[in-house]
Amino acid sequence: NCRLISIADPVPAGVRSITGSVTAHARESNQENTGYSFVNCSIGGTGWIWLGRAWRPYSRVVFAYTSMSNIIASDGWNDWNDPSRDQSVFYGEYKCTGDGAHLAGRVPYALELSDVQALPYLNTSFIDGDLWLKPYCDSLISA
């Protein structure tokens, strides 16, 4: 339920050069139990940005139920100039909405997740949240 606000350099109308990235996950091996999962979020702000770039070969990022504005580049993701990473990264999108959520122009290694594929990323168990997150309480949030 977070709002991600890009402060990347604005891009002049008609120009499509990348000025930022929401994530740059660094997972060195498929055995590492790490990654980013954004659920019920919104992405806005400035720039022309990727959802993620592969800082390391096994980068893992999922966006689910996320509203994406038109600042998201149509390819969505980047292998950080290492095509070998196309086979090892895990970049997933699940039931996202908005002008930046169109999957038609995404890189071939980006995944449109099925219900079964998305399930492990939709709650805090993915990050062992029951071990360290305090219980959420609406009364702690001021209007």
Side-chain angles (χ1 to χ4, degrees):
N1 292 319
C2 62
R3 289 183 59 205
L4 303 163
I5 307 297
S6 169
I7 57 170
D9 290 337
V11 178
V15 175
R16 293 295 187 211
S17 59
I18 298 296
T19 57
S21 181
V22 178
T23 68
H25 185 239
R27 191 166 73 134
E28 294 283 352
S29 121
N30 199 27
Q31 303 307 307
E32 291 179 37
N33 189 21
T34 64
Y36 300 139
S37 177
F38 297 89
V39 181
N40 294 317
C41 298
S42 64
I43 304 171
T46 58
W48 180 244
I49 64 174
W50 292 310
L51 293 169
R53 63 173 175 83
W55 188 12
R56 297 289 185 261
Y58 291 88
S59 179
R60 177 167 47 185
V61 181
V62 171
F63 286 90
Y65 301 109
T66 295
S67 174
M68 301 176 183
S69 75
N70 64 357
I71 67 167
I72 302 301
S74 57
D75 52 354
W77 307 90
N78 184 270
D79 60 17
W80 210 231
N81 299 317
D82 186 347
S84 69
R85 295 178 181 183
D86 299 0
Q87 305 305 310
S88 57
V89 296
F90 185 89
Y91 290 147
E93 297 175 58
Y94 181 70
K95 297 187 178 183
C96 295
T97 59
D99 291 339
H102 301 293
L103 299 173
R106 293 293 193 252
V107 293
Y109 50 90
L111 303 171
E112 179 179 8
L113 301 179
S114 68
D115 295 345
V116 171
Q117 290 171 308
L119 189 61
Y121 304 97
L122 298 181
N123 59 56
T124 59
S125 65
F126 172 63
I127 57 169
D128 293 329
D130 57 327
L131 300 176
W132 62 277
L133 288 175
K134 293 183 179 186
Y136 175 77
C137 180
D138 279 335
S139 64
L140 297 176
I141 307 298
S142 60

